[in-house]
């Protein structure tokens, strides 16, 4: 029962969780893999720093190469984050025949194909379940659980910070700025929240989900991303009145081998299961041609939920090691990437317009939609005592992204339309 030795890069929140689970669940882990799993070395920034978990001082190191080049370490678990230096460590570890488990969404979204190619070259495993949705086992499900199906759509709430903000705005009528400040105080949002609130974090995760779901090498620049910083209390109020919730959704769609991937604030029917996902929780909704609709829900971050996914990957690597099948998962991305054009991307849209309050305005507005062949599902003029202008709410039938952009451009040149206040995609 020779132990499998692990090098852990990082001992922050998630790294601490990994140590807790590996050391606290040894009996369970041994029963699954047939041998002990031992954390041999741990990379830290400061060996003398006090920590919430006890780790033998002789296991700590401030030199990453001591771990990467350690002759007895079989698996590298990377939870330190970062891109450039971390990529160098992982590529070197793979070249030395070490397997890798990582939670690094940024690295895998930007350099996943290169890393996976290096892994295949050296017959190593690279697993990264925790990179997308914390404790939700969505990546393994996409690769293995749906291996006999054809996925047509992946729709997800994959950022807990923005979901927390939108939930508080919806349930309490609070403003974006006030809730963001509260989220920062609670530790849900960083001091610089740009990556979360502008949709960049979610875009990286959707890059990974789309690559695995559609078996194509999707790049981060293929994802159209818009965040929640412009969402107002009024937008959420109007959505609720119409029977919708506003959520920051990542949406990846495939039709006739053409794909589109986006992250954007989206109005979701309140009857749709994903509309009821609140707070910091994540959910991923998957549409398959055979299985139909399925949803995966759970904690998208946190010490133990994320560490659970990491250790599950570690168990998978060790099982492969025992069977001698590491690096045999094959190249996942075997399909040619074909992106939809704006003319081919279609959905319903919600528009809120501030317009001149006089006769004939509505007729001019509806004529613009007709000019660009966009049909309307509903039109509502909503009184707003705080706004002397008229407010017109429109929900379209399915229309192309290109047509809606032309409509908005026309409105911006129309004297009776004072402002295109809000435009959101509509789902459900």
């Amino acid at each position: 029962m020779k132990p499998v030795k692990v090098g852990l890069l990082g001992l922050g929140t998630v790294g601490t969780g990994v140590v807790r689970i590996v050391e606290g669940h040894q009996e369970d882990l041994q029963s699954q893999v047939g041998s002990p799993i031992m954390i041999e070395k741990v990379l830290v920034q400061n060996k003398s720093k006090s920590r919430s978990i006890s780790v033998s001082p002789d296991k700590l190191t401030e030199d990453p190469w001591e771990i990467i080049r350690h002759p007895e370490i079989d698996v590298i678990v990377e939870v330190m984050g970062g891109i450039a230096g971390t990529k160098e460590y992982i590529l070197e570890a793979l070249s030395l025949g070490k397997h890798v488990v990582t939670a690094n969404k940024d690295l895998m979204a930007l350099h996943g194909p290169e890393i996976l190619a290096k892994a295949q070259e050296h017959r190593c495993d690279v697993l990264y379940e925790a990179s997308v949705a914390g404790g939700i086992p969505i990546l393994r499900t996409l690769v293995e659980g749906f291996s006999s199906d054809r996925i047509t759509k992946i729709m997800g709430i994959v950022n807990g910070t923005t979901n927390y903000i939108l939930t508080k705005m919806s349930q309490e009528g609070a403003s974006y700025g006030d809730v963001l400040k509260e989220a920062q105080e609670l530790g849900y949002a960083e001091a610089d929240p740009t990556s979360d609130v502008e949709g960049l974090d979610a875009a990286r995760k959707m890059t990974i989900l789309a690559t695995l779901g559609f078996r194509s090498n999707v790049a981060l620049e293929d994802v159209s991303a818009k965040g929640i910083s412009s969402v107002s209390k009024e937008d959420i109020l109007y959505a609720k009145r119409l029977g919708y919730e506003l959520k920051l959704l990542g949406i990846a769609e495939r039709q006739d081998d053409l794909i589109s991937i986006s992250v954007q604030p989206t109005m979701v029917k309140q009857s749709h299961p994903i509309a009821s996902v609140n707070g910091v929780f994540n959910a991923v909704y998957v549409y398959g041609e055979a299985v139909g609709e399925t949803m995966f829900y759970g904690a998208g971050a946190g010490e133990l939920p994320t560490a659970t996914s990491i250790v599950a990957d570690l168990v998978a690597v060790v099982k492969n090691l025992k069977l001698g099948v590491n690096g045999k998962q094959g190249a996942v991305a075997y399909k040619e990437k074909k992106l939809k054009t704006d003319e081919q991307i279609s959905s319903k849209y919600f528009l809120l317009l501030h317009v001149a309050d006089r006769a004939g305005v509505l007729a001019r507005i509806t004529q613009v939609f007709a000019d660009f062949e966009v049909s309307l599902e509903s039109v509502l003029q909503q009184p707003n005592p705080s706004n002397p202008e008229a407010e017109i709410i429109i929900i379209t039938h399915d229309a192309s992204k290109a047509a809606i952009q032309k409509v908005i451009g026309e409105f911006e040149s129309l004297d009776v339309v004072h402002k295109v206040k809000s435009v959101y995609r509509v789902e459900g």
Side-chain angles (χ1 to χ4, degrees), residues 39 46 146 164 177 180 193 202 214 240 246 284 297 323 377 385:
I39 296 178
N46 183 353
F146 290 105
Y164 174 84
L180 173 59
F214 300 149
K240 291 173 75 70
L246 257 175
V284 180
Y297 167 87
L323 294 170
E377 180 178 291

Side-chain angles (χ1 to χ4, degrees), residues 108 116 125-132 136-151 154 207-217 254 284 286 291 294 296 313 316 320 327-334:
M108 294 309 297
L116 294 173
D125 287 341
V126 174
L127 300 182
Y128 46 103
E129 181 67 68
S131 65
V132 169
I136 304 173
I138 185 61
L139 301 191
R140 188 172 290 108
T141 302
L142 288 176
V143 173
E144 299 176 4
F146 290 105
S147 60
S148 62
D149 204 351
R150 180 181 171 87
I151 294 170
I154 302 169
T207 301
I208 295 170
L209 287 173
T211 294
L212 295 178
F214 300 149
R215 309 296 196 263
S216 298
N217 271 326
R254 173 168 62 180
V284 180
V286 181
V291 76
T294 58
F296 304 84
D313 276 351
N320 288 344
K328 299 243 179 155
Q329 61 264 50
V332 174
Y334 60 88

Side-chain angles (χ1 to χ4, degrees), residues 48-319:
S48 61
K49 176 184 175 181
S50 61
R51 294 179 169 83
S52 62
I53 192 169
S54 177
V55 179
S56 175
D58 65 313
K59 290 189 174 184
L60 300 179
T61 179
E62 297 174 9
D63 179 8
W65 297 112
E66 186 179 344
I67 294 177
I68 301 301
R69 293 169 179 158
H70 195 296
E72 295 182 8
I73 286 178
D74 305 293
V75 186
I76 301 295
V77 174
E78 185 274 307
V79 288
M80 61 187 284
I83 297 177
T86 309
K87 175 188 171 186
E88 183 183 0
Y89 303 148
I90 286 179
L91 290 176
E92 176 67 11
L94 293 170
S95 70
L96 294 171
K98 300 183 190 301
H99 311 290
V100 173
V101 173
T102 179
N104 196 324
K105 62 182 177 295
D106 301 331
L107 182 65
M108 294 309 297
L110 292 171
H111 302 292
E114 179 183 356
I115 289 169
L116 294 173
K118 175 70 76 170
Q120 192 171 42
E121 177 187 347
H122 293 277
R123 298 187 64 182
C124 293
D125 287 341
V126 174
L127 300 182
Y128 46 103
E129 181 67 68
S131 65
V132 169
I136 304 173
I138 185 61
L139 301 191
R140 188 172 290 108
T141 302
L142 288 176
V143 173
E144 299 176 4
F146 290 105
S147 60
S148 62
D149 204 351
R150 180 181 171 87
I151 294 170
T152 57
K153 185 174 181 179
I154 302 169
M155 185 167 72
I157 296 172
V158 291
N159 183 273
T161 300
T162 50
N163 202 45
Y164 174 84
I165 293 171
L166 292 176
T167 298
K168 294 282 281 190
M169 291 176 70
S170 176
Q171 295 180 349
E172 300 178 10
S175 70
Y176 166 80
D178 289 343
V179 181
L180 173 59
K181 183 179 178 182
E182 178 185 333
Q184 289 172 318
E185 291 171 351
L186 292 171
Y188 295 148
E190 302 287 344
D192 179 1
T194 303
S195 180
D196 290 325
V197 300
E198 298 303 336
L200 307 179
D201 174 82
R204 294 179 181 115
K205 294 173 179 177
M206 290 307 299
T207 301
I208 295 170
L209 287 173
T211 294
L212 295 178
F214 300 149
R215 309 296 196 263
S216 298
N217 271 326
V218 175
L220 183 58
E221 56 264 29
D222 299 327
V223 184
S224 170
K226 179 184 177 184
I228 67 167
S229 57
S230 62
V231 174
S232 68
K233 292 190 294 183
E234 289 75 21
D235 293 335
I236 289 179
L237 178 62
Y238 285 140
K240 291 173 75 70
R241 286 179 181 174
L242 295 168
Y244 294 90
E245 291 290 339
L246 257 175
K247 297 290 183 181
L248 183 70
L249 292 188
I251 303 172
E253 296 177 292
R254 173 168 62 180
Q255 184 178 21
D256 299 328
D257 284 332
L258 295 173
I259 65 175
S260 64
I261 314 99
S262 67
V263 171
Q264 58 191 301
T266 304
M267 288 175 54
V268 186
K269 267 289 189 190
Q270 290 172 343
S271 57
H272 194 289
I274 213 164
S276 61
V277 177
N278 292 320
V280 295
F281 283 89
N282 284 193
V284 180
Y285 208 83
V286 181
Y287 299 72
E289 288 182 352
V291 76
E293 301 177 15
T294 58
M295 188 171 87
F296 304 84
Y297 167 87
E303 176 184 314
L304 293 178
T306 305
T308 298
S309 287
I310 291 168
V311 178
D313 276 351
L314 179 57
V315 167
V317 169
V318 176
K319 284 182 176 179

Side-chain angles (χ1 to χ4, degrees), residues 338-384:
K338 300 177 183 177
L339 297 176
K340 288 184 178 181
T341 65
D342 287 350
E343 287 76 15
Q344 294 168 319
I345 298 171
S346 179
S347 70
K348 292 183 178 181
Y349 286 90
F350 163 97
L351 294 91
L352 172 59
L353 309 177
H354 291 178
V355 303
D357 191 7
R358 62 175 186 259
V361 170
L362 185 56
R364 292 184 67 183
I365 287 170
T366 55
Q367 184 58 50
V368 171
F369 283 103
D371 290 343
F372 294 103
E373 299 182 343
V374 177
S375 63
L376 305 183
E377 180 178 291
S378 63
V379 179
L380 175 67
Q381 184 164 335
Q382 186 73 29
N384 186 341

